[in-house]
């Protein structure tokens, strides 16, 4: 196979990076918005049909599979990096051999993951504070979910090829269709009177079908793609492992920071408190997904910039990406902190008041994590992945240790604080300053151009929420709270655009917006 398998459009580097990023982010936002709406509807629906204990059991089994995802060993992110790099170099052989090597390796990992899940399923009653009936149900659910989880490992090779070619939009469309079908099946199964095990079986079947569609998209986007066991090689595995070892630590640390809490709660406090945590966690995961998409799609752009030694582009990515990330996450998280009580009561009803303080603490942690997301993406994609891995791992270990201690002494709020405190220290004191030094941006410049212009307009949010505090009476409905969120966000962005941005920056953003609009309008007119 030649180094350059043809000269098709798939090799060309886009001369419209803004349009590419905008397309990827926009389609991802469609997926996140759909998931958010469906989650708002399905969580109280599932709670009502399953009950807090069964719903908490479902969350615990999902958290078990999330822990097994560390068996990814960091190769997923590494494959995206190397596909993006080989595409920049026009190296078809590099893409095919690396994808084939990871497909074979991931196939083995998938088998190991499923066997490990089966072992855990046999001892659910030993790992968690649940009775024998719950242990039997949880074990069955875990084995079903683990099947889809194990098969998704080798199929990551196809998704990584798509992302490495900066075609996140293709994966996003499949994810949207899959989410809609899963939601429909969820409602149908529970409405028909079936329980947790049939529900998990039906939704898992839908997700398995989606894996085949991801595979098809990879071949459409990169026709020279060849994923074959015969192309796997130890040389490619060693090459990717030099980066993936640190990516593995980063991913494992992130899982420990944000996904292991239900396991700690289940082991220390039982399954019912997991449901209380799950209400807040659902909102936080939706917020994080809604606000962190830019940092996700920027990764191959950072890799491409590093491969071509484009230091100026990296500096712009750090400044503008951080500013955009903060401007995206702050309006939502501040409104969530202020409206947490009415939101929880209107959404899931009485009995979940303990979720309010959890939502407020975790929303603060989410704002810090998303705001620091561009800095971590720059560190990961441009050569400082070792530092990022070490700092994330230390943060995660402190988080887990604090969670175990504070869960016993403070209950659920202690677990939330154990997430917030080490995360805030690492992001503000270590990672963001290091990213600034790495790309050559003075910390004072980054704070004045990226952070402060995004923070001070939040006074507009507080003003709007103060003026609308009586809207809807003592017990406002969800649509009233949604209106308050929208009004406060509009006020924030009006102040941000009109007063926080400089004249040159405002004109630059408007010019880019017009460019995007003209490029979309031209094909439509043709």
């Amino acid at each position: 196979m030649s180094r350059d398998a043809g000269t098709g459009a798939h090799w060309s580097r886009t001369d419209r990076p803004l349009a590419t990023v905008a397309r990827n982010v926009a389609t991802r936002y469609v997926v996140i918005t759909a998931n958010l709406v469906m989650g708002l509807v399905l969580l109280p629906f599932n709670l009502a049909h399953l009950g807090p204990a069964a719903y908490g059991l479902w969350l615990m089994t999902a958290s078990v599979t999330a822990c097994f995802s560390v068996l990814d060993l960091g190769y997923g992110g590494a494959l995206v990096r190397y596909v993006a790099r080989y595409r920049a170099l026009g190296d078809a052989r590099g893409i095919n051999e690396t994808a084939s090597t990871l497909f074979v390796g991931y196939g083995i990992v998938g088998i190991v993951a499923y066997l490990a899940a089966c072992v855990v399923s046999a001892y659910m009653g030993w790992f968690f504070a649940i009775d024998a009936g719950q242990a039997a149900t949880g074990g069955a659910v875990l084995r079903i979910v683990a099947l889809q989880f194990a098969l998704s490992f080798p199929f990551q090779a196809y998704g990584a090829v798509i992302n490495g070619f900066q075609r996140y939009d293709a994966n996003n469309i499949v994810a949207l269709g899959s989410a809609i079908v899963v939601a429909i099946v969820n409602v149908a199964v529970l409405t028909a009177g079936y329980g947790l095990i049939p529900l998990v079986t039906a939704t898992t079947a839908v997700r398995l079908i989606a894996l085949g569609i991801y595979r098809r998209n990879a071949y459409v986007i990169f026709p020279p793609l060849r994923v074959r066991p015969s192309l796997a090689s130890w040389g490619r595995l060693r090459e990717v492992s030099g980066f993936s070892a640190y990516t593995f630590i980063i991913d494992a640390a992130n899982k420990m920071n944000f996904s292991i809490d239900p396991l700690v709660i289940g082991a220390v406090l039982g399954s019912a408190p997991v449901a209380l945590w799950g209400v807040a966690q659902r909102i936080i995961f939706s917020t994080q997904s809604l606000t962190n998409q830019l940092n996700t799609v920027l990764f191959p752009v950072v890799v491409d910039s590093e491969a071509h030694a484009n230091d100026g582009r990296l500096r712009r990515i750090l400044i503008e990406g951080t500013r955009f990330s903060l401007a995206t996450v702050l309006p939502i998280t501040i409104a969530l902190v202020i409206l947490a009580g009415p939101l929880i009561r209107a959404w899931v009803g009485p009995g979940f008041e303990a979720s309010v303080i959890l939502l407020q603490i975790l929303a603060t942690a989410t704002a810090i994590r998303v705001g620091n997301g561009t800095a971590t993406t720059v560190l990961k994609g441009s050569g400082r992945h070792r530092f990022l891995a070490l700092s994330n791992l230390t943060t995660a270990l402190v988080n887990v240790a604090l969670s175990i201690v504070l869960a016993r002494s403070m209950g659920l709020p202690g677990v939330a604080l154990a997430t917030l405190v080490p995360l805030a220290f690492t992001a503000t004191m270590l990672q963001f300053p290091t990213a600034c030094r790495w790309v050559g941006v003075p910390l004072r410049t980054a704070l004045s151009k990226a952070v402060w212009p995004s923070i001070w307009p939040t006074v507009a949010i507080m003003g709007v929420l103060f003026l609308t505090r009586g809207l809807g009476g003592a017990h406002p409905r969800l649509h009233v709270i949604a209106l308050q969120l929208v009004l406060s966000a509009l006020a924030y962005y009006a102040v941000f655009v009109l007063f926080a941005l400089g004249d040159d920056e405002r004109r630059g953003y408007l010019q880019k917006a017009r460019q995007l609009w003209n490029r979309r309008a031209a094909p439509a007119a043709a």
Side-chain angles (χ1 to χ4, degrees):
M1 183 182 300
S2 65
R3 172 181 169 85
D4 186 351
T7 57
H10 45 269
W11 285 123
S12 61
R13 291 183 65 218
T14 178
D15 58 352
R16 300 185 301 172
L18 176 63
T20 300
V21 171
R23 181 187 68 231
N24 291 334
V25 172
T27 53
R28 185 56 185 163
Y29 275 137
V30 172
V31 177
I32 297 302
T33 302
N35 280 328
L36 177 61
V37 173
M38 289 185 287
L40 287 172
V41 175
L42 286 179
L43 189 144
F45 177 84
N46 290 338
L47 270 173
H49 284 77
L50 296 174
Y55 185 77
L57 189 65
W58 191 10
L59 290 182
M60 282 197 305
T61 58
S63 297
V64 171
T65 57
C67 290
F68 284 135
S69 64
V70 299
L71 293 175
D72 168 272
L73 302 178
Y75 285 109
L79 182 54
V80 174
R81 180 180 190 269
Y82 278 93
V83 169
R85 189 175 185 85
Y86 292 145
R87 184 198 182 199
L89 299 175
D91 189 351
R93 178 183 290 275
I95 294 175
N96 289 334
E97 290 184 350
T98 305
S100 298
T101 300
L102 269 297
F103 182 85
V104 172
Y106 271 151
I108 298 172
V109 169
I111 295 173
V112 173
Y114 188 74
L115 293 176
C118 289
V119 171
V120 174
S121 71
Y123 295 96
M124 290 287 287
W126 188 85
F127 286 110
F128 303 105
I130 54 179
D131 58 38
Q134 289 178 311
T137 301
V141 169
L142 179 56
R143 288 190 294 272
I144 296 168
V145 174
L147 178 62
Q148 179 262 330
F149 181 76
L151 290 174
S152 68
F153 269 110
F155 278 83
Q156 284 190 54
Y158 300 106
V161 168
I162 296 171
N163 292 341
F165 275 75
Q166 300 186 37
R167 287 299 310 274
Y168 286 85
D169 58 307
N171 281 341
N172 293 339
I173 292 172
V174 179
L176 176 63
S178 174
I180 293 173
V181 176
V182 165
I184 294 172
V185 169
N186 185 324
V187 173
V189 169
L190 292 184
T191 302
Y194 293 101
L196 181 58
I197 294 177
L199 170 63
V200 173
T201 301
T203 54
T204 298
V206 175
R207 294 188 174 100
L208 289 175
I209 295 172
L211 293 179
I213 303 177
Y214 286 120
R215 178 184 180 276
R216 174 186 174 276
N217 281 348
Y219 283 96
V220 171
I221 289 170
F222 183 50
L225 179 64
R226 301 293 183 268
V227 178
R228 299 169 181 169
S230 60
L231 294 176
S233 71
W234 286 108
R236 294 296 182 184
L237 184 63
R238 287 192 297 271
E239 180 182 36
V240 177
S241 296
F243 181 81
S244 69
Y246 296 97
T247 306
F248 163 66
I249 297 174
I250 294 169
D251 293 343
N254 287 336
K255 293 293 187 304
M256 293 171 68
N257 271 319
F258 302 102
S259 299
I260 203 172
D261 290 324
L263 298 182
V264 174
I265 296 168
V268 177
L269 304 175
S271 63
V274 177
L276 295 172
W277 181 272
V279 170
Q281 187 182 56
R282 177 72 189 198
I283 298 174
I284 291 305
F285 279 179
S286 298
T287 301
Q288 183 176 300
S289 298
L290 187 65
T291 58
N292 199 38
Q293 296 313 306
L294 175 67
N295 296 319
T296 300
V297 302
L298 278 179
F299 181 62
V301 180
V302 171
V303 173
D304 185 85
S305 300
E306 186 268 340
H308 291 87
N310 195 335
D311 295 336
R313 193 189 206 186
L314 287 175
R315 287 190 285 271
R316 289 195 302 273
I317 288 173
L318 179 62
I319 293 294
E320 297 187 17
T322 299
R323 183 167 54 208
F324 183 88
S325 296
L326 284 170
T328 303
V329 73
L330 286 175
I332 299 177
T333 54
I334 289 179
L336 286 177
V337 169
I338 297 174
L339 298 174
L343 174 59
I344 294 295
R345 288 191 294 272
W347 184 29
V348 293
F352 289 87
E353 288 79 8
S355 300
V356 173
I357 185 64
L358 303 180
L359 177 56
Q360 292 170 329
I361 296 173
L362 294 177
T364 305
T366 299
I368 296 171
R369 184 189 185 191
V370 174
N372 189 51
T374 301
T376 59
T377 300
V378 168
L379 291 172
K380 182 179 178 180
S382 63
R384 292 289 287 169
H385 46 278
R386 296 174 180 84
F387 164 79
L388 184 62
L390 179 60
S391 58
N392 275 13
L393 179 61
T394 304
T395 303
L397 293 175
V398 173
N399 180 1
V400 173
L402 281 177
S403 295
I404 296 172
V405 173
L406 297 182
R408 299 182 185 278
S409 60
M410 299 178 60
L412 292 175
V415 180
L417 286 173
T419 297
L420 171 62
V421 174
L423 173 67
F425 177 82
T426 300
T428 60
M429 298 291 105
L430 298 177
Q431 293 176 347
F432 187 74
T434 300
C436 292
R437 288 195 301 270
W438 183 247
V439 301
V441 175
L443 181 59
R444 178 177 296 182
T445 300
L447 293 174
S448 63
K449 290 190 174 182
V451 179
W452 178 242
S454 305
I455 290 179
W456 75 258
T458 57
V459 297
I461 301 173
M462 302 175 191
V464 169
L465 294 180
F466 176 79
L467 293 174
T468 61
R469 64 190 184 282
L471 196 65
H475 303 287
R477 305 290 297 273
L478 274 177
H479 68 276
V480 174
I481 297 172
L483 177 61
Q484 289 179 286
L485 287 169
V486 171
L487 291 176
S488 62
L490 290 176
Y492 171 87
Y493 289 120
V495 174
F496 176 75
V497 172
L498 294 176
F499 302 106
L501 295 178
D503 292 338
D504 292 340
E505 293 170 328
R506 189 182 306 109
R507 283 193 294 269
Y509 283 128
L510 290 175
Q511 181 180 3
K512 291 175 182 177
R514 284 194 294 268
Q515 290 173 353
L516 288 174
W517 176 260
N518 292 335
R519 285 166 178 163
R520 290 178 62 87

